[in-house]
Amino acid sequence: MKKFIYLLGLVSVGAFAQEKQKDVVTVSASYNFSQPTQYGVSIEFNKGAKADQRLSSWILNVGYGQLELDEKNFKTTGEGFVAELGTRNYFKKGIREGFYAENFLAHGEIKFDDMVNGEKFEGKYSYWSIFNPNVGYKIQLTKSLSIDPSVGFNWKWEVKGKDDVDNRDFDNFVFKAGVKLGYTF
């Protein structure tokens, strides 16, 4: 009789257990229009969760950055990298699509090395950011393919410029808009 009650208890617990979503990874090609403009790869690491919970993910963005410097008497473009690590929280419970909010810890480093008006112009611009939020909408095109537009802003804490780069020529508060095309494994 004890075995029967124990078995009945296990079956009832299993019947009321919530469906747990599996861990998945989405790798995306990404483009972000901002200062600096970014072209890169984004990886979204989803942790398993119950179907009635709001889902969240870790996001790692790594990309090539371009930053244009346009002063009165010259114009040049620097190149470098941007790396961001953050979290994303989906608004709908139980699914990883639809509206979301995210924030990143970001670091960027752009180097300038150009001849401008017959003179050598070189230097480095770099920044950190802990306030770098986005809102977006993830659309599942197929079971594995998604498109992910977003908008937001970045409040940059600039590191003192090196050589010919003067941070007065760059904005600390910049808006951004981006899109990602991703594949989920």
Side-chain angles (χ1 to χ4, degrees):
M1 185 68 167
K2 285 183 182 180
K3 289 182 184 180
F4 177 72
I5 293 173
Y6 180 69
L7 184 59
L8 185 60
L10 284 177
V11 169
S12 64
V13 168
F16 291 105
Q18 299 170 358
E19 181 181 336
K20 186 163 173 114
Q21 297 201 352
K22 63 180 182 170
D23 294 352
V24 292
V25 174
T26 302
V27 177
S28 303
S30 66
Y31 170 76
N32 232 344
F33 176 76
S34 185
Q35 288 182 357
T37 298
Q38 303 168 37
Y39 308 88
V41 176
S42 177
I43 304 172
E44 179 179 4
F45 301 95
N46 299 314
K47 297 249 179 186
K50 295 181 180 174
D52 68 340
Q53 294 176 334
R54 287 201 174 94
L55 304 179
S56 62
S57 306
W58 283 97
I59 306 279
L60 174 64
N61 298 326
V62 179
Y64 165 76
Q66 282 186 323
L67 183 60
E68 187 175 282
L69 176 59
D70 190 2
E71 289 190 355
K72 295 174 189 163
N73 56 355
F74 68 92
K75 185 176 185 177
T76 184
T77 301
E79 300 174 333
F81 74 91
V82 177
E84 300 174 327
L85 177 65
T87 59
R88 174 183 289 180
N89 297 302
Y90 291 94
F91 294 161
K92 284 187 179 178
K93 291 183 179 181
I95 60 172
R96 288 188 173 90
E97 63 181 280
F99 285 105
Y100 64 81
E102 60 189 4
N103 189 47
F104 297 101
L105 170 65
H107 176 65
E109 203 166 282
I110 307 294
K111 293 184 180 180
F112 293 87
D113 187 12
D114 200 1
M115 290 297 286
V116 178
N117 298 334
E119 293 185 30
K120 184 80 170 162
F121 181 87
E122 59 186 357
K124 182 171 75 170
Y125 170 79
S126 60
Y127 69 90
W128 287 94
S129 177
I130 60 172
F131 194 60
N132 190 356
N134 284 339
V135 293
Y137 192 87
K138 187 174 184 178
I139 303 164
Q140 285 296 138
L141 302 172
T142 66
K143 182 179 177 183
S144 298
L145 194 62
S146 63
I147 190 164
D148 186 352
S150 63
V151 294
F153 59 88
N154 187 358
W155 181 34
K156 302 183 288 188
W157 296 344
E158 297 173 336
V159 177
K160 184 178 180 198
K162 294 194 178 183
D163 298 327
D164 296 327
V165 174
D166 186 352
N167 290 352
R168 291 181 301 179
D169 300 318
F170 302 104
D171 293 327
N172 291 69
F173 187 84
V174 295
F175 289 97
K176 59 185 179 172
V179 66
K180 296 176 184 171
L181 181 61
Y183 187 83
T184 303
F185 297 92

